[in-house]
Amino acid sequence: MASVTYLRSLANNTPYTLTLIDGENRSQSLAIGAQHVWNGSLAVPWIGKSEENYKALRLILGPGAETNIWLFQDYWQPAYMDAVKYLIASSMEYASEEVMEVPGDNREGGSKNLIVSLVNRQFKLLMA
């Protein structure tokens, strides 16, 4: 049986405000200031096909809010691992070859912390 991942904290270790929009409930959004942390509980949505792209959490960053990072839990790949994945792109596409697992403790569900950093002008994610 699949296990849900809950974000319990989100650390924005960048010089930009991070806006998070919940794809399943677009009225639920967060703004996390530069070098600040949000604490709470937010389920990472399951996606298993392109028709479910709308569910992904959208993280918006950058000096002109031009970077979109899509965060979701993969229902199928790899099977029974409950991997949290991300895509940096203007729009979400589950089948994209650019989709990657979030580095760190991203499998098997449960309570997790997400850290967003800026390294050499590129946004990096880490799950702990």
Side-chain angles (χ1 to χ4, degrees):
M1 182 168 195
S3 298
V4 177
T5 297
Y6 291 93
L7 294 181
R8 296 297 184 187
S9 74
L10 200 163
N12 178 11
N13 294 344
T14 77
Y16 310 109
T17 295
L18 183 156
T19 301
L20 183 148
I21 299 171
D22 183 338
E24 289 187 289
N25 182 3
R26 292 178 191 246
S27 65
Q28 180 172 341
S29 64
L30 308 167
I32 305 163
Q35 304 297 322
H36 283 83
V37 176
W38 167 85
N39 293 296
S41 181
L42 181 62
V44 178
W46 286 101
I47 295 180
K49 55 187 175 181
S50 292
E51 290 78 18
E52 299 174 327
N53 284 337
Y54 70 92
K55 294 180 182 181
L57 299 177
R58 181 179 177 194
L59 284 64
I60 305 168
L61 293 139
E66 74 279 355
T67 301
N68 292 290
I69 303 173
W70 305 90
L71 191 72
F72 64 97
Q73 213 169 342
D74 194 331
Y75 197 77
W76 299 112
Q77 304 288 329
Y80 310 111
M81 294 294 176
D82 310 319
V84 177
K85 295 184 175 181
Y86 73 100
L87 172 66
I88 299 176
S90 58
S91 62
M92 172 61 193
E93 179 47 60
Y94 172 77
S96 171
E97 292 182 13
E98 304 296 316
V99 169
M100 305 286 293
E101 284 191 41
V102 175
D105 182 20
N106 73 36
R107 294 183 175 193
E108 300 177 359
S111 296
K112 310 285 184 176
N113 303 312
L114 181 65
I115 302 163
V116 182
S117 301
L118 185 64
V119 179
N120 296 326
R121 292 187 263 185
Q122 292 188 334
F123 293 106
K124 303 288 182 183
L125 303 181
L126 177 68
M127 191 161 276

